[in-house]
Coordinates of all heavy atoms in Angstrom, one line a residue:
G44 N 91.4 60.7 119.3 CA 90.1 61.0 119.2 C 89.5 61.1 117.7 O 90.3 60.9 116.7
C45 N 88.3 61.5 117.6 CA 87.6 61.5 116.3 C 87.9 62.9 115.7 O 88.0 63.8 116.3 CB 86.1 61.3 116.4 SG 85.3 61.3 114.8
S46 N 87.9 62.9 114.4 CA 88.1 64.2 113.7 C 86.9 65.2 113.9 O 87.0 66.3 113.4 CB 88.3 63.9 112.2 OG 89.4 63.2 111.9
D47 N 85.8 64.7 114.4 CA 84.6 65.5 114.4 C 84.9 66.9 115.0 O 85.5 67.0 116.1 CB 83.6 64.8 115.4 CG 82.2 65.2 115.4 OD1 81.9 66.5 115.6 OD2 81.2 64.5 115.0
S48 N 84.3 67.9 114.4 CA 84.6 69.3 114.8 C 84.1 69.6 116.2 O 84.5 70.6 116.8 CB 83.9 70.3 113.8 OG 82.5 70.0 113.7
R49 N 83.2 68.8 116.7 CA 82.6 69.0 118.1 C 83.4 68.4 119.1 O 83.0 68.6 120.4 CB 81.1 68.4 118.0 CG 80.2 69.0 117.0 CD 79.0 68.4 116.7 NE 79.3 67.1 116.2 CZ 78.4 66.1 116.0 NH1 76.9 66.4 116.4 NH2 78.7 64.9 115.5
V50 N 84.4 67.8 118.9 CA 85.3 67.2 119.9 C 86.8 67.6 119.8 O 87.7 66.9 119.6 CB 85.3 65.7 119.8 CG1 85.7 65.1 121.3 CG2 83.8 65.1 119.6
N68 N 91.3 60.9 113.9 CA 90.9 60.4 112.5 C 89.3 60.1 112.6 O 88.8 60.3 113.7 CB 91.7 59.1 112.3 CG 91.5 58.0 113.2 OD1 90.4 57.7 113.5 ND2 92.5 57.3 113.5
I69 N 88.8 59.8 111.5 CA 87.4 59.5 111.4 C 87.0 58.3 112.3 O 87.5 57.2 112.1 CB 86.9 59.3 110.0 CG1 87.0 60.6 109.3 CG2 85.5 58.8 110.0 CD1 86.6 60.6 107.8
A70 N 86.2 58.6 113.3 CA 85.6 57.5 114.2 C 86.7 56.9 115.1 O 86.6 55.9 115.6 CB 84.9 56.4 113.5
N71 N 87.8 57.8 115.4 CA 88.9 57.3 116.3 C 89.2 55.8 116.3 O 89.2 55.1 117.2 CB 88.6 57.7 117.8 CG 87.1 57.5 118.2 OD1 86.2 58.4 118.1 ND2 86.9 56.3 118.9
C99 N 89.5 58.4 123.0 CA 88.1 59.0 123.2 C 87.2 58.8 122.0 O 87.6 59.2 120.9 CB 88.3 60.5 123.6 SG 86.7 61.4 123.9
G100 N 86.0 58.2 122.4 CA 85.0 58.1 121.4 C 84.0 59.2 121.7 O 84.2 60.0 122.7
H101 N 82.9 59.2 120.9 CA 81.9 60.3 121.2 C 80.5 59.9 120.9 O 80.3 59.0 120.0 CB 82.2 61.6 120.8 CG 82.2 61.8 119.2 ND1 81.2 62.4 118.6 CD2 83.2 61.3 118.3 CE1 81.4 62.3 117.3 NE2 82.6 61.7 117.0
T102 N 79.5 60.6 121.4 CA 78.1 60.4 121.1 C 78.0 61.0 119.7 O 78.6 61.9 119.3 CB 77.2 61.0 122.1 OG1 77.4 62.5 122.1 CG2 77.3 60.4 123.5
S103 N 76.9 60.6 119.0 CA 76.5 61.1 117.7 C 77.7 61.1 116.6 O 77.9 62.0 115.8 CB 76.0 62.6 117.7 OG 75.2 62.9 118.7
C104 N 78.4 60.1 116.7 CA 79.6 59.9 115.8 C 79.1 59.4 114.4 O 78.5 58.3 114.3 CB 80.6 58.9 116.4 SG 82.1 58.8 115.3
G105 N 79.3 60.2 113.5 CA 79.0 59.9 112.1 C 79.6 58.6 111.6 O 78.9 57.9 110.8
G106 N 80.8 58.3 112.0 CA 81.5 57.2 111.5 C 80.7 55.9 112.2 O 80.5 54.8 111.4
A107 N 80.3 56.0 113.4 CA 79.5 54.9 113.9 C 78.2 54.7 113.3 O 77.8 53.6 113.0 CB 79.3 55.2 115.6
A152 N 80.1 53.0 119.6 CA 81.2 53.9 119.9 C 81.9 53.5 121.1 O 83.3 53.5 121.1 CB 80.9 55.5 120.1
I187 N 78.6 64.8 123.6 CA 78.5 66.1 122.9 C 77.3 66.9 123.5 O 77.4 68.2 123.6 CB 78.2 65.9 121.3 CG1 79.5 65.3 120.9 CG2 77.9 67.2 120.8 CD1 79.5 65.2 119.4
Ligands
LIG1 ZN1 83.0 60.7 115.3

Side-chain angles (χ1 to χ4, degrees):
C45 183
S46 300
D47 195 300
S48 61
R49 299 164 296 177
V50 199
N68 64 43
I69 291 175
N71 45 275
C99 182
H101 68 100
T102 59
S103 311
C104 185
I187 292 180

